[in-house]
Amino acid sequence: MSLTAGIVGLPNVGKSTLFNAITNSRIEAANYPFATIEPNVGVVEVKDERLDELTKLFEPKKTIYTTFEFTDIAGLVKGASKGEGLGNKFLANIREVDAICHVVRCFEDSDITHVYDGIDPLRDIEIINYELIMADLSTVENRLAKTQKKVQTSKEKNAVAEYELLKKVQAVLNAGELIKTMDLSEDDVAVLKQYNFLTLKPVIYVANVKDEDVNEPLNNPYYVKVSEYAKNEGSEVLAISAKLEEDLSDLASDEKKAFLEDLGIKRSGLDELIFKAYHLLGLATFFTVGKDECRGWTFKLGMKAPECAGIIHTDFEKGFIRAEVYTYEDIMEYKNEAKLKEMGKLRLEGKDYVAKDGDIMHFRFNV
Protein backbone atom coordinates (compact mmCIF):
# COMPACT_ATOMS: atom_id res chain seq x y z
CA MET A 1 0.00 0.00 0.00
CA SER A 2 1.85 3.07 -1.26
CA LEU A 3 0.93 6.37 0.40
CA THR A 4 2.86 9.63 0.24
CA ALA A 5 3.35 12.73 2.35
CA GLY A 6 4.57 15.84 0.54
CA ILE A 7 7.02 18.16 2.29
CA VAL A 8 6.07 21.74 1.41
CA GLY A 9 6.94 25.24 2.53
CA LEU A 10 8.39 28.55 1.39
CA PRO A 11 11.92 28.53 -0.01
CA ASN A 12 14.74 28.20 2.56
CA VAL A 13 12.67 27.08 5.54
CA GLY A 14 14.44 23.70 5.86
CA LYS A 15 12.40 21.43 3.58
CA SER A 16 15.32 19.83 1.80
CA THR A 17 17.38 19.58 4.98
CA LEU A 18 14.49 17.70 6.57
CA PHE A 19 14.13 15.47 3.52
CA ASN A 20 17.87 14.68 3.63
CA ALA A 21 17.44 13.57 7.21
CA ILE A 22 14.33 11.48 6.53
CA THR A 23 15.87 9.55 3.69
CA ASN A 24 19.54 9.85 4.66
CA SER A 25 20.04 11.10 1.09
CA ARG A 26 22.08 14.00 -0.13
CA ILE A 27 19.92 16.19 -2.33
CA GLU A 28 20.82 19.85 -2.69
CA ALA A 29 19.89 22.02 0.30
CA ALA A 30 21.11 25.39 -0.93
CA ASN A 31 20.69 28.82 0.65
CA TYR A 32 18.68 30.31 -2.22
CA PRO A 33 15.12 29.99 -3.55
CA PHE A 34 14.10 27.13 -5.85
CA ALA A 35 17.07 24.84 -5.15
CA THR A 36 14.40 22.14 -5.36
CA ILE A 37 12.68 22.10 -8.76
CA GLU A 38 11.79 18.51 -9.54
CA PRO A 39 10.22 16.69 -6.59
CA ASN A 40 12.58 14.29 -4.80
CA VAL A 41 11.01 11.07 -3.56
CA GLY A 42 12.30 8.91 -0.73
CA VAL A 43 10.96 5.73 0.86
CA VAL A 44 11.66 5.27 4.56
CA GLU A 45 11.13 2.43 6.99
CA VAL A 46 8.52 2.87 9.71
CA LYS A 47 10.51 1.64 12.70
CA ASP A 48 8.21 -0.35 14.95
CA GLU A 49 9.40 -1.63 18.32
CA ARG A 50 6.77 -4.38 18.17
CA LEU A 51 8.45 -5.86 15.08
CA ASP A 52 11.81 -5.71 16.87
CA GLU A 53 10.35 -7.72 19.74
CA LEU A 54 8.74 -10.24 17.37
CA THR A 55 12.12 -10.67 15.68
CA LYS A 56 13.75 -11.48 19.02
CA LEU A 57 11.01 -14.03 19.72
CA PHE A 58 10.85 -15.83 16.36
CA GLU A 59 14.49 -15.33 15.27
CA PRO A 60 13.64 -15.14 11.54
CA LYS A 61 16.12 -15.10 8.68
CA LYS A 62 15.00 -11.56 7.84
CA THR A 63 12.87 -8.72 9.19
CA ILE A 64 10.97 -6.33 6.92
CA TYR A 65 9.47 -3.08 8.21
CA THR A 66 6.55 -1.23 6.67
CA THR A 67 7.52 1.77 4.56
CA PHE A 68 6.26 5.29 3.94
CA GLU A 69 7.02 7.65 1.09
CA PHE A 70 8.00 11.31 1.44
CA THR A 71 8.20 13.77 -1.46
CA ASP A 72 10.21 17.00 -1.26
CA ILE A 73 8.27 19.54 -3.33
CA ALA A 74 9.55 22.81 -4.79
CA GLY A 75 9.31 25.94 -2.62
CA LEU A 76 6.28 28.17 -3.08
CA VAL A 77 5.89 31.95 -3.35
CA LYS A 78 3.01 34.40 -3.56
CA GLY A 79 1.11 34.11 -6.83
CA ALA A 80 1.76 30.39 -7.28
CA SER A 81 -1.90 29.81 -8.12
CA LYS A 82 -1.37 32.24 -11.00
CA GLY A 83 1.85 30.59 -12.12
CA GLU A 84 4.37 32.74 -10.22
CA GLY A 85 7.71 31.14 -9.35
CA LEU A 86 7.33 27.39 -9.75
CA GLY A 87 3.69 27.59 -8.72
CA ASN A 88 2.09 25.42 -11.38
CA LYS A 89 4.69 22.69 -10.84
CA PHE A 90 4.28 22.93 -7.05
CA LEU A 91 0.50 22.67 -7.19
CA ALA A 92 0.58 19.75 -9.63
CA ASN A 93 3.03 17.86 -7.41
CA ILE A 94 1.09 18.47 -4.22
CA ARG A 95 -2.09 17.09 -5.80
CA GLU A 96 -0.35 13.73 -6.05
CA VAL A 97 0.34 13.32 -2.30
CA ASP A 98 -2.01 11.97 0.36
CA ALA A 99 -0.94 14.24 3.23
CA ILE A 100 1.03 17.48 3.62
CA CYS A 101 4.00 18.09 5.92
CA HIS A 102 4.16 21.88 5.96
CA VAL A 103 7.58 23.09 7.16
CA VAL A 104 7.73 26.55 8.75
CA ARG A 105 10.84 28.28 10.03
CA CYS A 106 10.72 29.05 13.75
CA PHE A 107 14.25 30.29 14.43
CA GLU A 108 16.40 33.37 13.81
CA ASP A 109 19.65 33.08 11.84
CA SER A 110 21.12 36.01 9.92
CA ASP A 111 23.25 33.62 7.84
CA ILE A 112 20.19 31.92 6.32
CA THR A 113 18.14 34.14 4.04
CA HIS A 114 14.36 34.27 4.12
CA VAL A 115 12.55 34.94 0.88
CA TYR A 116 10.31 37.57 2.55
CA ASP A 117 12.81 38.93 5.13
CA GLY A 118 12.09 38.46 8.80
CA ILE A 119 10.75 35.39 10.60
CA ASP A 120 6.96 35.17 10.77
CA PRO A 121 5.68 31.56 10.59
CA LEU A 122 1.99 32.53 10.52
CA ARG A 123 2.57 34.79 7.53
CA ASP A 124 4.43 31.94 5.82
CA ILE A 125 1.60 29.49 6.54
CA GLU A 126 -1.05 31.89 5.29
CA ILE A 127 0.88 32.58 2.06
CA ILE A 128 0.84 28.89 1.19
CA ASN A 129 -2.71 28.29 2.39
CA TYR A 130 -3.93 31.24 0.33
CA GLU A 131 -2.37 29.77 -2.82
CA LEU A 132 -3.91 26.36 -2.10
CA ILE A 133 -7.30 28.00 -1.52
CA MET A 134 -7.09 29.93 -4.79
CA ALA A 135 -6.11 26.78 -6.70
CA ASP A 136 -9.08 24.89 -5.20
CA LEU A 137 -11.40 27.80 -5.96
CA SER A 138 -10.35 27.69 -9.61
CA THR A 139 -11.13 23.94 -9.69
CA VAL A 140 -14.58 24.48 -8.13
CA GLU A 141 -15.52 27.34 -10.43
CA ASN A 142 -14.49 25.40 -13.53
CA ARG A 143 -16.57 22.43 -12.44
CA LEU A 144 -19.61 24.58 -11.59
CA ALA A 145 -19.45 26.33 -14.96
CA LYS A 146 -19.38 22.99 -16.78
CA THR A 147 -22.27 21.43 -14.87
CA GLN A 148 -24.64 24.35 -14.25
CA LYS A 149 -26.71 23.92 -17.43
CA LYS A 150 -26.81 20.16 -17.10
CA VAL A 151 -28.06 20.37 -13.51
CA GLN A 152 -30.71 22.94 -14.39
CA THR A 153 -32.09 20.87 -17.27
CA SER A 154 -31.70 17.28 -16.05
CA LYS A 155 -32.61 17.68 -12.36
CA GLU A 156 -30.77 14.38 -11.80
CA LYS A 157 -30.70 13.86 -8.02
CA ASN A 158 -26.99 13.01 -7.54
CA ALA A 159 -25.85 15.74 -9.93
CA VAL A 160 -27.95 18.36 -8.13
CA ALA A 161 -26.60 17.24 -4.73
CA GLU A 162 -23.02 17.44 -5.99
CA TYR A 163 -23.65 20.88 -7.50
CA GLU A 164 -25.08 22.17 -4.22
CA LEU A 165 -22.12 20.73 -2.30
CA LEU A 166 -19.68 22.47 -4.65
CA LYS A 167 -21.54 25.76 -4.13
CA LYS A 168 -20.99 25.37 -0.38
CA VAL A 169 -17.32 24.63 -0.98
CA GLN A 170 -17.06 27.72 -3.19
CA ALA A 171 -18.51 29.90 -0.40
CA VAL A 172 -16.03 28.50 2.15
CA LEU A 173 -13.06 29.07 -0.16
CA ASN A 174 -14.23 32.60 -0.98
CA ALA A 175 -14.25 33.26 2.77
CA GLY A 176 -10.56 32.25 2.89
CA GLU A 177 -11.19 28.97 4.72
CA LEU A 178 -9.89 25.48 3.99
CA ILE A 179 -12.28 22.80 2.74
CA LYS A 180 -11.25 20.44 5.54
CA THR A 181 -12.66 22.89 8.12
CA MET A 182 -16.16 22.23 6.75
CA ASP A 183 -18.60 19.92 8.52
CA LEU A 184 -18.62 17.19 5.88
CA SER A 185 -20.32 13.80 5.91
CA GLU A 186 -18.53 10.67 4.67
CA ASP A 187 -20.60 10.87 1.49
CA ASP A 188 -19.55 14.51 0.99
CA VAL A 189 -15.88 13.61 1.38
CA ALA A 190 -16.24 10.75 -1.10
CA VAL A 191 -17.72 13.16 -3.67
CA LEU A 192 -15.05 15.83 -3.13
CA LYS A 193 -12.10 13.42 -3.24
CA GLN A 194 -12.55 12.95 -6.98
CA TYR A 195 -11.41 16.56 -7.45
CA ASN A 196 -8.20 16.05 -5.44
CA PHE A 197 -8.67 19.33 -3.58
CA LEU A 198 -5.51 20.64 -1.97
CA THR A 199 -7.17 22.10 1.14
CA LEU A 200 -8.96 18.83 1.88
CA LYS A 201 -5.67 17.02 2.50
CA PRO A 202 -4.61 16.37 6.12
CA VAL A 203 -1.70 18.53 7.34
CA ILE A 204 1.15 18.28 9.84
CA TYR A 205 2.83 21.62 10.55
CA VAL A 206 6.53 20.97 11.11
CA ALA A 207 7.99 23.80 13.20
CA ASN A 208 11.70 23.91 12.33
CA VAL A 209 13.30 25.08 15.59
CA LYS A 210 16.81 25.36 17.03
CA ASP A 211 18.32 22.32 18.76
CA GLU A 212 17.76 23.73 22.24
CA ASP A 213 14.02 24.18 21.61
CA VAL A 214 13.26 20.58 20.62
CA ASN A 215 12.67 19.39 24.19
CA GLU A 216 10.91 22.56 25.33
CA PRO A 217 9.16 23.93 22.22
CA LEU A 218 6.73 26.00 24.32
CA ASN A 219 9.70 28.24 25.17
CA ASN A 220 9.79 29.21 21.49
CA PRO A 221 7.19 31.95 20.81
CA TYR A 222 7.13 31.10 17.08
CA TYR A 223 6.27 27.46 17.86
CA VAL A 224 3.49 28.54 20.24
CA LYS A 225 1.88 30.59 17.45
CA VAL A 226 2.08 27.69 14.99
CA SER A 227 0.69 25.29 17.59
CA GLU A 228 -2.32 27.52 18.25
CA TYR A 229 -2.92 27.97 14.52
CA ALA A 230 -2.79 24.21 13.91
CA LYS A 231 -5.18 23.55 16.80
CA ASN A 232 -7.75 26.00 15.43
CA GLU A 233 -7.47 24.41 12.00
CA GLY A 234 -7.71 20.85 13.31
CA SER A 235 -4.20 19.97 12.11
CA GLU A 236 -1.19 18.35 13.79
CA VAL A 237 2.01 20.17 14.81
CA LEU A 238 5.51 18.89 15.59
CA ALA A 239 8.71 20.66 16.67
CA ILE A 240 11.81 19.44 14.86
CA SER A 241 15.35 20.71 14.36
CA ALA A 242 15.89 19.76 10.73
CA LYS A 243 19.66 20.35 11.00
CA LEU A 244 19.93 18.18 14.11
CA GLU A 245 17.98 15.42 12.40
CA GLU A 246 20.25 15.63 9.35
CA ASP A 247 23.30 15.29 11.60
CA LEU A 248 21.72 12.32 13.36
CA SER A 249 21.07 10.59 10.05
CA ASP A 250 24.84 10.15 9.59
CA LEU A 251 25.14 8.13 12.80
CA ALA A 252 24.77 4.38 13.33
CA SER A 253 21.64 3.39 15.28
CA ASP A 254 23.53 2.82 18.56
CA GLU A 255 25.33 6.15 18.24
CA LYS A 256 22.08 7.90 17.41
CA LYS A 257 20.37 6.39 20.46
CA ALA A 258 23.21 7.48 22.75
CA PHE A 259 23.25 10.97 21.25
CA LEU A 260 19.51 11.38 21.78
CA GLU A 261 19.82 10.16 25.37
CA ASP A 262 22.53 12.76 26.00
CA LEU A 263 20.11 15.40 24.73
CA GLY A 264 17.31 14.01 26.89
CA ILE A 265 15.21 13.10 23.82
CA LYS A 266 13.28 9.82 23.91
CA ARG A 267 12.52 9.53 20.19
CA SER A 268 13.95 11.41 17.22
CA GLY A 269 11.80 14.05 15.59
CA LEU A 270 11.87 12.08 12.37
CA ASP A 271 10.44 8.98 14.02
CA GLU A 272 7.70 11.20 15.47
CA LEU A 273 7.02 12.72 12.05
CA ILE A 274 6.85 9.35 10.32
CA PHE A 275 4.41 7.99 12.90
CA LYS A 276 2.29 11.16 12.79
CA ALA A 277 2.11 10.99 8.99
CA TYR A 278 1.38 7.26 9.12
CA HIS A 279 -1.51 7.64 11.55
CA LEU A 280 -2.78 10.91 10.08
CA LEU A 281 -3.82 8.87 7.05
CA GLY A 282 -5.63 6.28 9.16
CA LEU A 283 -2.98 3.63 8.60
CA ALA A 284 -2.13 0.74 10.89
CA THR A 285 0.11 -2.35 10.86
CA PHE A 286 -0.55 -6.08 10.96
CA PHE A 287 2.25 -8.64 11.13
CA THR A 288 3.14 -11.97 9.63
CA VAL A 289 5.70 -14.01 11.55
CA GLY A 290 7.74 -17.16 11.17
CA LYS A 291 11.25 -18.57 10.98
CA ASP A 292 11.80 -17.30 7.45
CA GLU A 293 10.48 -13.78 7.92
CA CYS A 294 8.86 -11.37 10.36
CA ARG A 295 7.17 -8.56 8.49
CA GLY A 296 4.96 -5.54 9.02
CA TRP A 297 2.21 -4.71 6.53
CA THR A 298 0.46 -1.36 6.17
CA PHE A 299 -3.34 -1.36 5.97
CA LYS A 300 -6.14 1.18 6.26
CA LEU A 301 -8.12 1.04 9.48
CA GLY A 302 -11.51 -0.48 8.71
CA MET A 303 -10.18 -3.01 6.20
CA LYS A 304 -11.44 -6.59 6.52
CA ALA A 305 -9.32 -9.72 6.65
CA PRO A 306 -9.59 -10.60 2.91
CA GLU A 307 -8.49 -7.08 1.94
CA CYS A 308 -5.48 -7.39 4.25
CA ALA A 309 -4.68 -10.74 2.67
CA GLY A 310 -4.79 -9.03 -0.71
CA ILE A 311 -2.06 -6.61 0.40
CA ILE A 312 0.29 -9.58 0.56
CA HIS A 313 -0.91 -11.09 -2.73
CA THR A 314 -4.06 -10.69 -4.81
CA ASP A 315 -4.48 -14.49 -4.88
CA PHE A 316 -4.76 -14.48 -1.08
CA GLU A 317 -7.80 -12.21 -1.31
CA LYS A 318 -9.41 -14.04 -4.24
CA GLY A 319 -9.16 -17.43 -2.56
CA PHE A 320 -9.54 -16.28 1.04
CA ILE A 321 -10.93 -18.96 3.38
CA ARG A 322 -10.15 -17.66 6.85
CA ALA A 323 -7.45 -16.00 8.93
CA GLU A 324 -5.68 -17.27 12.03
CA VAL A 325 -5.39 -14.20 14.27
CA TYR A 326 -3.82 -13.35 17.59
CA THR A 327 -2.61 -10.12 19.17
CA TYR A 328 0.89 -8.80 19.67
CA GLU A 329 0.22 -8.44 23.40
CA ASP A 330 -0.80 -12.10 23.72
CA ILE A 331 2.25 -13.50 21.93
CA MET A 332 4.48 -11.32 24.11
CA GLU A 333 2.79 -12.78 27.19
CA TYR A 334 2.70 -16.47 26.19
CA LYS A 335 5.84 -16.50 24.00
CA ASN A 336 4.77 -19.19 21.50
CA GLU A 337 1.81 -20.09 19.31
CA ALA A 338 1.29 -23.52 20.88
CA LYS A 339 0.64 -21.86 24.25
CA LEU A 340 -1.70 -19.35 22.57
CA LYS A 341 -3.81 -22.21 21.18
CA GLU A 342 -3.87 -23.90 24.56
CA MET A 343 -5.08 -20.67 26.21
CA GLY A 344 -7.69 -20.02 23.50
CA LYS A 345 -5.99 -16.86 22.34
CA LEU A 346 -5.59 -17.92 18.69
CA ARG A 347 -8.81 -17.26 16.77
CA LEU A 348 -10.15 -18.27 13.38
CA GLU A 349 -11.75 -15.25 11.70
CA GLY A 350 -13.83 -15.09 8.53
CA LYS A 351 -14.46 -12.61 5.73
CA ASP A 352 -16.20 -10.03 7.92
CA TYR A 353 -13.39 -9.68 10.46
CA VAL A 354 -12.14 -6.08 10.69
CA ALA A 355 -8.37 -6.05 11.20
CA LYS A 356 -6.87 -4.22 14.16
CA ASP A 357 -3.52 -2.54 14.61
CA GLY A 358 -1.03 -5.05 16.00
CA ASP A 359 -2.87 -8.16 14.76
CA ILE A 360 -0.67 -11.09 13.80
CA MET A 361 -2.33 -12.99 10.97
CA HIS A 362 -1.81 -16.17 8.98
CA PHE A 363 -4.12 -16.49 5.97
CA ARG A 364 -5.68 -19.68 4.63
CA PHE A 365 -6.64 -19.49 0.99
CA ASN A 366 -7.39 -21.65 -2.01
CA VAL A 367 -6.95 -20.58 -5.64
Side-chain angles (χ1 to χ4, degrees):
M1 177 172 286
S2 178
L3 291 164
T4 307
I7 303 175
V8 307
L10 293 176
N12 301 351
V13 296
K15 294 186 301 84
S16 294
T17 302
L18 181 62
F19 183 81
N20 284 341
I22 288 172
T23 60
N24 200 20
S25 62
R26 282 295 169 265
I27 62 168
E28 185 173 16
N31 185 24
Y32 56 85
F34 309 129
T36 302
I37 297 176
E38 293 300 327
N40 300 286
V41 179
V43 178
V44 293
E45 290 182 333
V46 180
K47 295 297 185 182
D48 193 320
E49 294 175 358
R50 296 173 298 180
L51 190 55
D52 295 335
E53 294 302 315
L54 290 170
T55 295
K56 292 176 187 176
L57 188 62
F58 286 90
E59 299 180 340
K61 295 175 184 175
K62 59 182 178 180
T63 300
I64 302 175
Y65 294 89
T66 61
T67 59
F68 195 86
E69 192 173 280
F70 283 91
T71 302
D72 181 34
I73 297 172
L76 184 83
V77 294
K78 287 179 182 176
S81 57
K82 298 178 181 177
E84 294 294 329
L86 296 169
N88 291 332
K89 183 178 289 289
F90 172 94
L91 296 169
N93 292 334
I94 200 173
R95 287 190 195 282
E96 302 306 314
V97 303
D98 302 289
I100 297 171
C101 295
H102 186 160
V103 182
V104 287
R105 182 170 157 185
C106 293
F107 66 90
E108 303 274 358
D109 190 329
S110 59
D111 292 331
I112 302 177
T113 62
H114 190 290
V115 71
Y116 292 118
D117 298 323
I119 307 304
D120 185 347
L122 296 190
R123 173 205 59 202
D124 296 355
I125 288 171
E126 287 171 356
I127 286 171
I128 287 190
N129 281 351
Y130 174 80
E131 298 303 331
L132 301 184
I133 287 168
M134 295 307 293
D136 280 352
L137 188 57
S138 176
T139 300
V140 169
E141 290 175 344
N142 287 339
R143 178 61 181 170
L144 287 172
K146 287 179 181 178
T147 58
Q148 186 173 11
K149 275 189 178 181
K150 180 182 175 182
V151 169
Q152 289 173 342
T153 55
S154 73
K155 303 294 183 183
E156 200 275 316
K157 186 178 178 182
N158 289 340
V160 170
E162 181 177 343
Y163 185 82
E164 290 175 350
L165 175 60
L166 289 174
K167 290 294 286 185
K168 291 177 184 176
V169 169
Q170 182 185 37
V172 167
L173 293 170
N174 274 323
E177 301 292 333
L178 310 179
I179 297 173
K180 65 180 181 153
T181 63
M182 296 175 65
D183 184 16
L184 298 168
S185 67
E186 288 186 12
D187 289 341
D188 290 340
V189 172
V191 170
L192 295 180
K193 276 191 173 180
Q194 66 182 304
Y195 299 108
N196 217 357
F197 286 122
L198 303 175
T199 65
L200 190 58
K201 295 180 185 291
V203 174
I204 302 171
Y205 288 107
V206 180
N208 187 11
V209 301
K210 287 190 173 180
D211 298 0
E212 57 265 30
D213 291 334
V214 171
N215 265 345
E216 299 291 341
L218 293 177
N219 291 336
N220 182 317
Y222 296 130
Y223 170 84
V224 172
K225 289 181 179 179
V226 174
S227 180
E228 290 172 352
Y229 187 98
K231 183 179 179 181
N232 290 334
E233 188 184 275
S235 294
E236 298 272 355
V237 64
L238 178 66
I240 282 184
S241 167
K243 188 65 178 72
L244 171 64
E245 299 295 336
E246 187 178 33
D247 293 341
L248 284 171
S249 70
D250 289 326
L251 303 178
S253 58
D254 290 345
E255 293 175 313
K256 184 187 294 185
K257 186 177 180 181
F259 190 77
L260 288 171
E261 287 175 354
D262 288 343
L263 294 173
I265 300 173
K266 292 182 179 179
R267 179 188 280 178
S268 78
L270 292 184
D271 285 342
E272 292 285 356
L273 177 60
I274 291 166
F275 273 101
K276 274 185 179 289
Y278 193 74
H279 294 294
L280 188 66
L281 291 169
L283 304 179
T285 304
F286 73 85
F287 303 100
T288 53
V289 297
K291 287 297 181 184
D292 287 332
E293 175 184 286
C294 283
R295 181 166 182 167
W297 300 88
T298 301
F299 71 99
K300 276 264 191 185
L301 288 170
M303 289 179 72
K304 294 183 178 180
E307 295 173 288
C308 290
I311 292 170
I312 299 175
H313 198 287
T314 53
D315 284 349
F316 286 21
E317 182 173 7
K318 290 175 184 175
F320 179 87
I321 299 172
R322 64 180 64 90
E324 295 180 359
V325 184
Y326 56 86
T327 68
Y328 167 78
E329 290 76 16
D330 283 342
I331 192 65
M332 286 297 104
E333 179 178 353
Y334 295 106
K335 303 304 180 186
N336 63 71
E337 291 180 345
K339 188 67 174 177
L340 286 178
K341 288 181 181 178
E342 181 184 329
M343 300 303 295
K345 297 293 184 179
L346 193 153
R347 315 182 309 274
L348 291 178
E349 299 287 1
K351 293 182 178 181
D352 292 329
Y353 176 70
V354 178
K356 298 176 179 62
D357 184 50
D359 276 350
I360 297 166
M361 297 200 276
H362 297 280
F363 297 106
R364 297 182 184 178
F365 68 101
N366 181 30
V367 177

